[in-house]
Amino acid sequence: MGSSVWNRRQVLGAVAAATAGSAVPAAFGTAAPAGTTASPAAAPTLVRAGRPRLTHGVQSGDAVGDAANIWTRADRSGRMVVEVSSRPDFRHARVVTGPVVGPATDFTGMVRVRGLRGGARTYYRAWVTADHGLAGERLTGSLMIPGRRDGIRFVWTGDIAGQGWGINPDIGGMRIFRAMRALTPDFYLCSGDTVYADGPIQPSVTLPDGRVWRNVTTPEKSKVAETLPEFRGQYAYNLLDANLRAFLAEVPQINQWDDHEVTNNWYPGEVLTDDRYTEKRVDVLAARARQAFHEWVPITSGPLYRSFSYGPLLDVFKLDMRTYKDPNDGNTYADPARGLLGAEQREWLVRGLRRSRATWKVIANDLPLGLVVPDGAAAQEGVAQGDPGAPLGRELEFAHILRAAHRAGVTGIVLLTADVHYTAAHHYDPGRAAVTDFTPFWEFVAGPANAGAFGPNALDATFGPQVVFSNTPPQANTSPMDGFQHFGEVDIDAHTRAMTVRLRNLDGVPLWSTTIPAP
């Protein structure tokens, strides 16, 4: 990222900060020492002199076909403007006028830019023109939309700034995003837990062996998020990390939300018993969280589940396993009307799989299928519950989806997930399962990006999963200092149509890979 109004020294300083992964409290300003407090989301309330400043970089998202969302945030009210070109020098650029940014959207703005060319990198720069007509600084980004004849490479992970492990400049910040950026992926799938609204960040944490983890902190991250400004501050905090900003300026996103965008293991209608909260109604918290999510993430409005078609090689089906979720209980009911997805989303997925003509149908399920994810001693958070027999509870709707796809002759289904804070490869086969009417498929798990590492979770045998690979830490809530952070890479060959999946560590080193022939 860069700015057309900076001098050379400022540009070089920003590049150095991004390379080093230092955390900065404003747009490429002076790095905040670990353990100090920054205020990244302080809402401007006065008309300021000078040019508007962009406070948290630029991002793109939902880049598919010939269009993409472009996002930024300013330090005051004004009109967002985006310039788009096929050239890095912005010759022959066109200008797209965006929305007015102001207090109602926390000074964030997003515009959908159309007419982009697949198979070629698009360069964009954004700025805000103040109410008095003075144009502000410009920040530059780029994105790539695969062409119909191109191969496709993308990365995925989840779980950012969780369990109290925030931005630690001592280890280079959230440097996993530097490793993902180095692969120049076509897009990034964030599999949920984009923020930890229920996870306060303290100035320091003493590890069991006596080492000290130091965090950059902000007021909004000092407690659980309850108010709209506090939820907004969760996203502002993550964007203090130079690695993340540089990555998001070059790689468009597909974003899911899971539980920690609101609070741990939440479901609609829940009333909290957590004493940290004064607002106990989860539905109230979720509404505020959803507004902040849409303001700070370059996501298209409407239902959070949707599909993305990347031509003949790939369709991505992004699920929302939270908004329509039934209450967490023992998860052994026989009612097929209940579940995680809800009837409308469930049938949308079945129709989409049947209609897809892409070689690969990736289902982005932010909760894994076969891993048991408990919610306390007696309730279940996920799909599985540990009973290896016929489907029960939430397993019923996935049995229905897999059965419908199998009977329609659908092939090439692959599941991608995060949530459990380790990485693994699971192969599902009806020959090992209590369910027999589905086509074998893979599910790959990656994460966390920057959070406590856990695992392994127990495996439920209902759908016949087999652990082919896993990498887990020596103890629960291992800090990112010990390296058990992971992301996955998917590489689809344009000629053979084979899919290669690599599970990588914090620094991008491959831990395991497999190539799946085209069906």
Side-chain angles (χ1 to χ4, degrees):
M1 290 186 285
S3 168
S4 62
V5 299
W6 286 358
N7 62 40
R8 181 175 179 272
R9 179 174 296 176
Q10 288 172 309
V11 171
L12 292 175
V15 171
T19 302
S22 59
V24 293
F28 311 114
T30 303
T36 63
T37 299
S39 185
T45 57
L46 302 175
V47 176
R48 301 181 179 182
R51 297 180 182 275
R53 183 173 59 85
L54 303 184
T55 62
H56 291 79
V58 290
Q59 307 177 55
S60 65
D62 291 1
V64 66
D66 70 342
N69 299 332
I70 307 297
W71 176 99
T72 195
R73 181 184 185 271
D75 66 347
R76 71 199 73 183
S77 297
R79 172 73 67 177
M80 178 183 174
V81 183
V82 175
E83 196 173 24
V84 182
S85 177
S86 60
R87 297 171 53 116
D89 61 5
F90 286 90
R91 291 188 62 185
H92 311 300
R94 58 190 175 95
V95 175
V96 180
T97 301
V100 172
V101 304
T105 62
D106 199 22
F107 301 89
T108 66
M110 185 182 76
V111 61
R112 189 148 184 88
V113 177
R114 301 186 183 276
L116 306 181
R117 188 173 54 149
R121 183 156 290 274
T122 294
Y123 300 87
Y124 65 88
R125 55 189 175 193
W127 67 92
V128 167
T129 299
D131 295 339
H132 53 276
L134 189 63
E137 65 167 342
R138 303 183 182 195
L139 293 183
T140 301
S142 66
L143 63 93
M144 172 75 86
I145 299 176
R148 293 187 62 84
R149 297 183 180 180
D150 296 335
I152 299 171
R153 177 189 297 124
F154 68 94
V155 293
W156 90 95
T157 189
D159 315 303
I160 305 171
Q163 288 73 49
W165 313 114
I167 301 167
N168 183 354
D170 295 345
I171 65 167
M174 297 193 288
R175 68 176 191 263
I176 195 169
F177 294 104
R178 186 194 315 168
M180 290 195 291
R181 180 187 176 202
L183 296 175
T184 60
D186 295 310
F187 65 90
Y188 160 53
L189 169 62
C190 184
S191 300
D193 294 343
T194 53
V195 297
Y196 273 73
D198 59 338
I201 299 292
Q202 303 302 323
S204 64
V205 181
T206 301
L207 278 60
D209 61 5
R211 291 176 297 167
V212 176
W213 172 282
R214 298 189 302 148
N215 287 310
V216 170
T217 62
T218 67
E220 294 83 3
K221 289 295 294 182
S222 66
K223 64 178 291 292
V224 296
E226 300 179 81
T227 67
L228 178 57
E230 289 168 350
F231 280 110
R232 288 166 167 169
Q234 311 304 304
Y235 297 90
Y237 177 82
N238 286 358
L239 288 173
L240 293 180
D241 184 78
N243 300 298
L244 179 58
R245 287 197 314 274
F247 175 67
L248 297 181
E250 295 179 3
V251 182
Q253 308 162 60
I254 295 176
N255 291 93
Q256 295 180 272
W257 78 338
D258 190 25
D259 56 336
H260 291 287
E261 287 84 355
V262 182
T263 191
N264 186 48
N265 294 351
W266 74 275
Y267 52 84
E270 183 181 7
V271 177
L272 299 176
T273 58
D274 189 333
D275 291 338
R276 298 178 301 167
Y277 289 86
T278 56
E279 175 55 74
K280 307 286 189 180
R281 297 167 296 173
V282 165
D283 288 354
V284 173
L285 297 173
R288 295 167 181 167
R290 185 173 180 133
Q291 179 175 338
F293 184 69
H294 276 90
E295 288 172 345
W296 279 83
V297 175
I299 187 173
T300 305
S301 61
L304 292 177
Y305 64 88
R306 60 169 301 185
S307 61
F308 302 84
S309 178
Y310 292 92
L313 289 179
L314 175 67
D315 285 343
V316 175
F317 297 89
K318 181 186 73 166
L319 302 186
D320 176 4
M321 303 175 80
R322 193 60 53 176
T323 303
Y324 314 100
K325 191 174 192 278
D326 59 351
N328 289 348
D329 57 17
N331 195 26
T332 57
Y333 54 81
D335 183 358
R338 289 182 61 180
L340 284 166
L341 303 179
E344 184 175 333
Q345 182 179 190
R346 185 165 58 240
E347 294 312 314
W348 162 85
L349 179 57
V350 169
R351 290 194 304 272
L353 292 172
R354 285 172 170 166
R355 293 171 180 172
S356 174
R357 295 297 175 263
T359 301
W360 298 103
K361 295 88 175 169
V362 165
I363 299 176
N365 51 310
D366 50 287
L367 286 168
L369 178 61
L371 292 173
V372 180
V373 184
D375 182 14
Q380 298 296 329
E381 154 74 351
V383 179
Q385 75 293 87
D387 183 333
L392 295 170
R394 295 162 180 159
E395 294 171 337
L396 291 168
E397 64 181 346
F398 285 89
H400 165 70
I401 292 165
L402 294 172
R403 180 187 309 116
H406 177 69
R407 292 179 177 177
V410 177
T411 59
I413 291 177
V414 173
L415 275 57
L416 300 182
T417 188
D419 187 68
V420 290
H421 294 232
Y422 66 96
T423 190
H426 302 147
H427 185 258
Y428 291 76
D429 193 303
R432 298 186 294 263
V435 183
T436 58
D437 49 352
F438 69 90
T439 302
F441 63 93
W442 285 88
E443 178 182 59
F444 299 102
V445 186
N450 193 92
F454 293 84
N457 288 44
L459 204 59
D460 186 306
T462 295
F463 294 101
Q466 179 184 29
V467 179
V468 180
F469 171 81
S470 70
N471 190 51
T472 58
Q475 60 188 22
N477 200 20
T478 294
S479 86
M481 197 175 286
D482 291 322
F484 286 90
Q485 313 291 293
H486 309 97
F487 69 95
E489 174 197 5
V490 174
D491 202 339
I492 305 174
D493 187 89
H495 303 292
T496 67
R497 298 180 293 125
M499 173 187 284
T500 298
V501 178
R502 300 178 184 92
L503 302 178
R504 297 178 179 266
N505 72 5
L506 175 66
D507 293 311
V509 176
L511 303 176
W512 178 88
S513 68
T514 189
T515 297
I516 314 169

